[in-house]
Amino acid sequence: MARTPKTFHVKSFGCQMNVYDGDRMAELMAAQGMTAADDAHSADLVILNTCHIREKATEKVYSDIGRIRKHGQDPMIAIAGCVAQAEGDEIVRRAKVDVVVGPQAYHNLPALVAKAAGGVAAIDTDMPVDLKFAHLPARRRVPPSAFLTVQEGCDKFCTYCVVPYTRGAEVSRPWGAIVDEARALVAAGAREITLLGQNVNAWTGADGRGRTRGLGALIEDLAQITDLARLRYTTSHPNDMADDLITAHRDVAKLMPFLHLPVQSGSDAVLKAMNRSHSRDSYLRLLERVRAARPDIALSGDFIVGFPGETDDDFEQTLSLVAEVGYAQAFSFKYSPRPGTPAATMDNQIAPELMAERLARLQAAINRDQAAFNAASVGKTCDILLERAGKYDGQLLGKSPWLQSVIYDGPGAIGDIVTIAIVSAAPNCVTGMAAG
């Protein structure tokens, strides 16, 4: 039976790029005259924007579908993102959803919803050469800290990762399109922009004079936008950390002193099995160059424990790398075999109990260093961007230049940049008061 939805709700899982994509899908449906609903249970159309990096994330999608239906409502359900790309028709067969749309095709969502309203499941998992961004509506009001996708896809083919299969080959958005969207974000209220990409520092493009440039030059150009106060970027690959980007950390005041640079393991044997194309030593030497350019930079990373064949010695090398670097924060995960990736069929898969033990030890080391970094911040004066209201009346939350969560109780409003003194630290945040 035909059922044209009038309200919608978008729920995004996974990375910052999925958050960005979810926001763009919401803008796309609003441009069709639909109204955003506060939750899935009050919407005619529920869009689940999915992540396929880990097994649990995939299963969570199917659990969410079940919960939506058990609630007694019968909304149209659209599965978007990487699970949609990876599983396609299987989602329709297994969960009987209405729409399946991959991350490179979500600009076609209105047409797919219209088709599904006629009672026919609509699927689009194509990866068109023409970029979807040209088909999306203009940005509306945005938060003080906004995301902007500049690059998608991955050519690295790490043996554990599905991204090259779900997001496709590395593609860079054109220079002019990025600058135009950045200006629109600032006009709509953004004070800070985070540039996004699966390998964001692989971005290349022709500038206004036709010269092929890298991410560092793009950042320099974006820094010229009036009223844009801060720039960040994520996620990077060590092999794409070019000289111009390192120089930008030294020379561009608006580029915040924070770098998320995944390494995944401290063992060369594991890095080789992962097809990471860098070594422990090359990674550490790269960090030395970055720190020489920006001595106060805060470092973040990603780690996988329990990769097939990882020995006790391999894991100890990861712990020693963590101790040597002293990360301000980092993300760590147990290895999750993804169907279709080379690592899923490798010999010497690690027992879940051993993975859990190693993850607990690694996270204890990461938490130790994060707490130490926060404690060392006490007494510093810095500017923070106020992003949202806190738990208590009069309390505001923001981010320091080093991406620490800051609790602030003082004069100012959301969207303001205020100068604070950091007066105390906890493992996961710091507290600031107005300086002066």
Side-chain angles (χ1 to χ4, degrees), residues 169-225:
E170 290 178 358
V171 177
S172 296
R173 291 184 66 188
W175 179 294
I178 294 168
V179 173
D180 287 347
E181 185 171 343
R183 292 185 185 280
L185 288 171
V186 172
R191 303 297 309 281
E192 173 182 277
I193 291 176
T194 300
L195 308 179
L196 299 179
Q198 266 80 38
N199 288 316
V200 67
N201 56 344
W203 182 90
T204 59
D207 67 9
R209 297 167 58 185
R211 300 172 298 177
T212 299
R213 310 299 296 274
L215 187 65
L218 178 64
I219 287 171
E220 289 180 6
D221 199 33
L222 293 174
Q224 304 306 311
I225 297 175

Side-chain angles (χ1 to χ4, degrees), residues 11-19 47-52 57 60-62 64 67 80:
K11 181 177 181 179
S12 291
F13 305 82
C15 66
Q16 296 99 325
M17 189 172 290
N18 263 22
V19 174
I47 303 167
L48 299 178
N49 187 29
T50 62
C51 173
H52 199 248
K60 183 172 174 54
V61 174
Y62 289 104
D64 267 29
R67 277 193 292 271

Side-chain angles (χ1 to χ4, degrees), residues 262-278:
V263 62
Q264 306 301 358
S265 174
S267 162
D268 282 341
V270 173
L271 291 173
K272 183 177 180 180
M274 289 178 167
N275 194 35
R276 285 292 292 172
S277 302
H278 64 81

Side-chain angles (χ1 to χ4, degrees), residues 385-397:
L385 172 63
L386 301 177
E387 298 182 23
R388 56 191 175 91
K391 182 177 180 181
Y392 302 107
D393 288 343
Q395 188 181 79
L396 293 167
L397 304 181

Side-chain angles (χ1 to χ4, degrees), residues 79-82 84-85 100-107 124-126 132 166:
I79 306 300
C82 292
Q85 187 68 43
V100 177
V101 59
Q104 305 305 338
Y106 69 72
H107 57 287
D124 188 347
T125 54
D126 286 345
K132 65 194 170 202
T166 58

